[in-house]
Amino acid sequence: MKLATIQMVSGTSVQANLASARDLLQQAAAQGAELALLPEYFCIMGLKDTDKLAARETLGHGPIQDFLSHTAKTLGLWLVGGTLPLASQDPHRARNASLAFAPSGERVARYDKMHLFRFAQGQESYDESRVLEPGSEPVGFDLPSVDGQIYRIGMSVCYDLRFPELYRALNADVLLVPSAFTWTTGQAHWEVLLRARAIENLAYVVAAAQGGVHENRRRTWGHSMVVDPWGEIIGQRDEGAGLVMTDVSGARLREARGQLPALQHRML
């Protein structure tokens, strides 16, 4: 199964970000992608955290969700829309939700980010809980591939990467990690965490990132990558918008899991 891992440098305009995402997804489809993953906050990186609230949508309604559904159907892709802000019961906060769409345009899964990012170091500090409400349930879905395999896809978002128990609970073949890691935390921990999650779970890890300097002057780490079940990086992009095209192999999954049969995992 051919994957497109999409890296962006999203700005403050939702429409401009959707146009950029559309161009990259069209490139992915032209190169034969069956599954495409957009990064966290692909639709908006605001000047301030509360800008997310102005862009939030109710589930099933809104231009961002319409874009994802229409693009999946038009391009014939399985499409996971990084994250977008969805309305919650708290009028002052949103859910940071990752939505998966089938090639029919039907929404097949919704995952709300469970672990909210908090970080403080000198003048640099973040606290997503000021404007976001955490999710509570792990989510996965089955993807019947044209290669004849049914892959179990596990969903997660960014800061979730630091919580290995979530990934074990997903029991997946392919783990998705749309992200917007900061420059500081990314250079310290990004690669080692992604490779660890792949090794622990004998699964592919697909991480689509924001990567560059944004309009809000925040710098994200980038380095979108795909890691195979043995922990080897099989595709990576350092900074800037673009694609990482890789292949997922059911045979490679079976081989890696056969080499370490003592681990508990789902066999294809």
Side-chain angles (χ1 to χ4, degrees), residues 9-91:
V9 188
S10 298
T12 60
S13 166
V14 171
Q15 289 305 313
N17 293 330
L18 296 186
S20 296
R22 182 183 299 107
D23 289 344
L24 291 164
L25 290 166
Q26 287 173 339
Q27 293 176 41
Q31 294 181 50
E34 188 173 352
L35 168 64
L37 175 64
L38 291 164
E40 185 180 27
Y41 299 132
F42 80 98
C43 53
I44 187 167
M45 291 282 283
L47 295 176
K48 54 187 183 301
D49 283 347
T50 52
D51 289 350
K52 300 181 186 73
L53 301 181
R56 63 188 158 180
E57 300 179 355
T58 57
L59 184 63
H61 304 279
I64 301 169
Q65 294 171 83
D66 290 346
F67 163 81
L68 293 170
S69 175
H70 177 76
T71 303
K73 185 173 183 178
T74 301
L75 298 179
L77 289 169
W78 290 85
L79 175 57
V80 178
T83 67
L84 68 153
L86 288 183
S88 72
Q89 294 184 346
D90 184 343

Side-chain angles (χ1 to χ4, degrees), residues 116 153 173 221 239:
L116 302 183
I153 310 297
D173 304 311
W221 177 239
E239 285 192 277

Side-chain angles (χ1 to χ4, degrees), residues 113 115-118 128 157-163 181:
K113 185 178 182 179
H115 302 97
L116 302 183
F117 180 49
R118 294 182 68 185
E128 288 187 323
V157 176
C158 201
Y159 197 56
D160 285 333
L161 191 57
R162 297 181 182 273
F163 298 86
F181 257 57

Side-chain angles (χ1 to χ4, degrees), residues 7 54 65 72 97 130 162 170 223 230 265:
Q7 185 160 289
Q65 294 171 83
R130 289 194 293 260
R162 297 181 182 273
L170 287 167
H223 293 77
W230 201 249
H265 49 252

